[in-house]
Amino acid sequence: MIQILPVITNKGGVGKTTTCVNLAAAFALAGRRTLIVDLDGQASASLTLGLKRSDLAVSSAQLIYGDVTVEEAARKTKVPLLDLVPGSMDLASADLRLGRMADRVTRLRTALAPARKMYDLILLDCPPSASLLTINAVMAGDALIIPVVPSYLSIEGLISFGEMLRHIHSGVGRMAPVLGIAITRADMDKREVRMAAEVIGQRYGARVFNTIIHPDPKLETAPLQGKTVFEVDASTPGALEYAALADEVLERIS
């Protein structure tokens, strides 16, 4: 069963956290018990969901290190059926600490095993870097969601990310398959954006989700209010598009 979905890329600025948070909210609003695990030291998903930095004391770092269980680390959000394991700056030293552990690449998979009985879907907001945290996410995940902005540099980043995944596979012998590539922040009024989106579609074919996330000011302002876009305005284009993307994800994993 596909339950754990890392939202992952090696490039920043592509709407990774926005995608993770609003997809998770869409799943929860559809009646799915959903958990976000924030694996980013900047705790962007946690702050987006309204937590203060003072609320991050028990985080995904302690979960990975085995200091707490997922039940102890998870906390409710303002969205019904949506829980969160926060990120924190404790993750900044994760590679050093994990590097000394024999099971360094499977810590997260082991920690999340009990969560499979507690939640229908678990989304991982991953750091935009090649690290042991990233490898842990790939090892824990059942299938990957890769957000990408349609631009030349993002296409190059997508190609290098594919190479990184192949290196992980050759090194540890396991890799979650790609569930889909989500095109985000796509201003399709611009010719160069349309051309880049076409290149992504031609290169990756059916792996690309049909739903395209267009720029929406409310997607940008929602995190400033500590809310998902659905809480700000469920009828705004960004909310409708993330709801449609969530439907595509659910169709692919069913």
Side-chain angles (χ1 to χ4, degrees), residues 64-108:
I64 293 170
Y65 302 151
D67 299 330
V68 296
T69 66
V70 68
E71 190 171 11
E72 292 168 332
R75 59 194 71 185
K76 295 186 181 301
T77 71
K78 292 174 289 185
V79 179
L81 298 182
L82 178 59
D83 290 354
L84 167 72
V85 175
S88 76
M89 281 303 296
D90 290 342
L91 293 163
S93 59
D95 272 24
L96 291 174
R97 187 162 175 180
L98 287 171
R100 297 192 291 266
M101 299 177 176
D103 55 348
R104 62 182 66 87
V105 299
T106 58
R107 299 286 304 185
L108 184 61

Side-chain angles (χ1 to χ4, degrees), residues 99-167:
R100 297 192 291 266
M101 299 177 176
D103 55 348
R104 62 182 66 87
V105 299
T106 58
R107 299 286 304 185
L108 184 61
R109 185 170 71 187
T110 301
L112 289 179
R116 290 183 178 273
K117 296 180 180 179
M118 301 164 57
Y119 297 97
D120 299 311
L121 290 163
I122 302 164
L123 274 68
L124 312 181
D125 188 34
C126 303
S129 61
S131 66
L132 279 173
L133 280 176
T134 301
I135 296 173
N136 264 268
V138 172
M139 293 291 288
D142 300 318
L144 310 177
I145 295 175
I146 305 173
V148 61
V149 171
S151 70
Y152 171 74
L153 289 178
S154 289
I155 293 171
E156 289 299 316
L158 195 55
I159 294 170
S160 68
F161 182 64
E163 294 173 352
M164 185 187 82
L165 291 177
R166 285 189 287 274
H167 281 299

